[in-house]
Amino acid sequence: MLVMSLRILVLLLGLALVPSAWAQEQAFTNRSTELKERGAADARAVGTLAENTEVKVLARSGGWTRVDAGGRSGFVNVFHLRFPVTVESKSGGGGFFSGMTSAMGGGGRKTEKATIATTGIRGLSPEDLKSASPDAAALAKAQSYRADKPTAERFAREGKLTAVSVDNPQGDRR
Amino acid sequence: MKRILFLAMILAALPLHAQFGGFDIGKVIDIGKKAVDQGSPMGKEFSQDDEIGLGDALTASFLGASPLHPDANLQRYVNRVGKWIALHSDRPDLPWTFSVIDTETINAFAMPGGSVIVSSGLVKRLASESELAGVLAHEIAHVVRKHQLTAIQKGMTADFWKGVGTSIASDRIKIGGGVVGRAAGEIAKPYLLDMAGNLIKDGFYLRPLDRGMESEADQMAVVLAIRSGYDAYGLAGALQMLAQYKGDADAASLFSTHPAPSERLADLEKFVPSVERYAKQPQLLEVRYKQNVK
């Protein structure tokens, strides 16, 4: 009975995860890793996935990614996946993308390339940005949405966000 | 002494042929004098007011290129998340402003002085408030560490200053029927508008920052998110989304201005365990995110 309730709970938790437009993306494990029942380090492992196991990404949740591994669903550490899709620039690409390709295709793994269709998507082009003239009315409007300190603090309380002290290894000590 | 240092900086900024070939000391002094007369930050530290004024002028240009997203609730929501995180930074008192621009292009930008711009294309692909927190905290870290300002100052050659200050007597401060300034009625200094215009035309925001600055911003973002009560993996989740997203290299997107997401994830994997233990009751806030990001 308890096991049953736990299963239902796990199922409900799974449903609560946010699926998004990129769901069902193909990914590969970048090392041998455990497939966990829940998204938590102390959760039970339902199996072990060997390095380079193909999975489908179902949802992200903090440090865990819910995946489908050959019909078995579970959670994999966010750092234990790699994604085969690289981006090709229509103009032939700069150093950045060659860097990206080599980083993803490291270790002699196959790197797949996808040609990107952008038709119909209104994006911000470099030309748009370079030729922009300042819009003061829009700036004033943007500034009207600012949150003051009490508003931000109330918002944090509503979300049960509790401030904690962290020593930053980089040096600042707040 | 200050003047000697200042002149030396101008000389250092000049091309070699100008220094040793057709050297026109009168012209050099003219450029420098004009900038100094207007109280410009050439050759000295930016004051906080100038930093904010420059950020305002840059933001106005961004909003001229890409409009604000029309959803006022979304704008307020992103401002609340951002301000809460900024309160836990070393510069909590800047006039922090977070603007969602209405474009499919995936990117986020930080202006000197505390103005952060994030695209709706990025916001709608995030899965939780903790992922948004990770993205905003990365930009906040750039502002706190003055990364953009440092890069801007590094790029200030004498050439850069030639057009700056020329509009002092013109009416360029009145743009589109409004006035660019920190608040209604407060007018930004004209040389800051000129500087912002030069930086935008020059494509400053289309170029990457130093790799070290990006890495520092990623690490500080994790620290700021934990301090603010968020999950330590928000930025990692956002980077995982970016790693699998089929971006457009030709657009003014994050893919052409940041190191590869997979490299950033690999760096974070080394860093996060060193600070994760501080998180007490970390929040993801997936439901609140869905309620506010339609």
Side-chain angles (χ1 to χ4, degrees), chain B residues 99-175:
Chain B
S99 311
V100 182
I101 53 172
D102 193 6
T103 173
E104 279 298 317
T105 298
I106 293 181
N107 215 338
F109 305 91
M111 316 295 143
S115 172
V116 170
I117 290 177
V118 56
S119 74
S120 55
L122 173 52
V123 168
K124 76 179 186 189
R125 286 178 176 84
L126 300 175
S128 64
E129 192 173 303
S130 72
E131 289 192 0
L132 175 67
V135 169
L136 297 181
H138 173 95
E139 300 305 327
I140 288 167
H142 278 316
V143 175
V144 168
R145 291 287 164 148
K146 301 186 182 178
H147 287 158
Q148 278 80 7
L149 195 64
T150 304
I152 288 168
Q153 284 180 302
K154 251 169 93 175
M156 283 180 178
T157 60
D159 266 358
F160 178 88
W161 285 97
K162 273 178 191 160
V164 174
T166 50
S167 67
I168 185 91
S170 78
D171 61 356
R172 272 193 57 197
I173 44 174
K174 289 189 176 176
I175 302 155

Side-chain angles (χ1 to χ4, degrees), chain A residues 29 32-38 43-49 55 64-77:
Chain A
T29 52
S32 171
T33 187
E34 288 183 329
L35 186 67
K36 298 274 200 180
E37 194 171 45
R38 291 178 296 114
R44 192 173 73 90
V46 294
T48 303
L49 306 177
V55 298
W64 297 88
T65 306
R66 196 171 139 244
V67 300
D68 179 310
R72 273 190 309 178
S73 134
F75 292 80
V76 172
N77 184 303

Side-chain angles (χ1 to χ4, degrees), chain B residues 232-290:
Chain B
Y233 294 88
L235 180 61
L239 288 170
Q240 193 186 78
M241 178 277 287
L242 293 170
Q244 61 196 289
Y245 183 73
K246 301 167 185 68
D248 180 0
D250 288 343
S253 80
L254 188 148
F255 300 98
S256 52
T257 55
H258 285 74
S262 56
E263 291 173 21
R264 295 171 66 187
L265 276 169
D267 287 349
L268 278 186
E269 185 179 359
K270 291 175 208 144
F271 178 76
V272 175
S274 70
V275 287
E276 193 187 2
R277 66 198 149 91
Y278 291 102
K280 297 286 181 255
Q281 292 171 299
Q283 301 292 326
L284 292 173
L285 293 171
E286 288 160 323
V287 173
R288 180 157 86 174
Y289 195 70
K290 271 184 89 176

Side-chain angles (χ1 to χ4, degrees), chain A residues 31 60 96 124 146 174, chain B residues 90 97 105 131 255 258 269:
Chain A
R31 70 200 75 179
R60 300 187 304 277
F96 173 76
L124 177 64
R146 279 176 186 158
R174 279 182 67 84
Chain B
D90 278 358
T97 310
T105 298
E131 289 192 0
F255 300 98
H258 285 74
E269 185 179 359

Side-chain angles (χ1 to χ4, degrees), chain B residues 11-160:
Chain B
L11 286 173
L14 282 172
L16 278 180
H17 68 85
Q19 289 185 36
F20 301 108
F23 183 70
D24 182 349
I25 187 72
K27 197 172 174 189
V28 174
I29 289 172
D30 268 359
I31 297 169
K33 195 166 172 298
K34 194 194 264 176
V36 170
D37 286 348
Q38 293 169 23
S40 87
M42 184 181 186
K44 62 181 183 188
E45 283 292 302
F46 264 68
S47 68
Q48 184 163 298
D49 275 356
D50 278 353
E51 189 188 344
I52 294 166
L54 178 62
D56 282 351
L58 287 166
T59 304
S61 285
F62 266 88
L63 297 178
S66 189
L68 275 173
H69 194 281
D71 184 347
N73 177 66
L74 173 68
Q75 300 288 355
R76 287 194 195 95
Y77 173 69
V78 172
N79 268 283
R80 286 168 189 179
V81 176
K83 175 75 170 191
W84 171 244
I85 298 164
L87 288 173
H88 300 92
S89 77
D90 278 358
R91 304 184 77 189
D93 299 324
L94 286 176
W96 292 97
T97 310
F98 300 85
S99 311
V100 182
I101 53 172
D102 193 6
T103 173
E104 279 298 317
T105 298
I106 293 181
N107 215 338
F109 305 91
M111 316 295 143
S115 172
V116 170
I117 290 177
V118 56
S119 74
S120 55
L122 173 52
V123 168
K124 76 179 186 189
R125 286 178 176 84
L126 300 175
S128 64
E129 192 173 303
S130 72
E131 289 192 0
L132 175 67
V135 169
L136 297 181
H138 173 95
E139 300 305 327
I140 288 167
H142 278 316
V143 175
V144 168
R145 291 287 164 148
K146 301 186 182 178
H147 287 158
Q148 278 80 7
L149 195 64
T150 304
I152 288 168
Q153 284 180 302
K154 251 169 93 175
M156 283 180 178
T157 60
D159 266 358
F160 178 88

Side-chain angles (χ1 to χ4, degrees), chain A residues 19-27 55-59 66 68, chain B residues 244:
Chain A
S20 39
W22 51 267
Q24 302 291 318
E25 283 290 343
Q26 179 197 37
V55 298
K56 284 208 177 354
V57 172
L58 302 175
R66 196 171 139 244
D68 179 310
Chain B
Q244 61 196 289

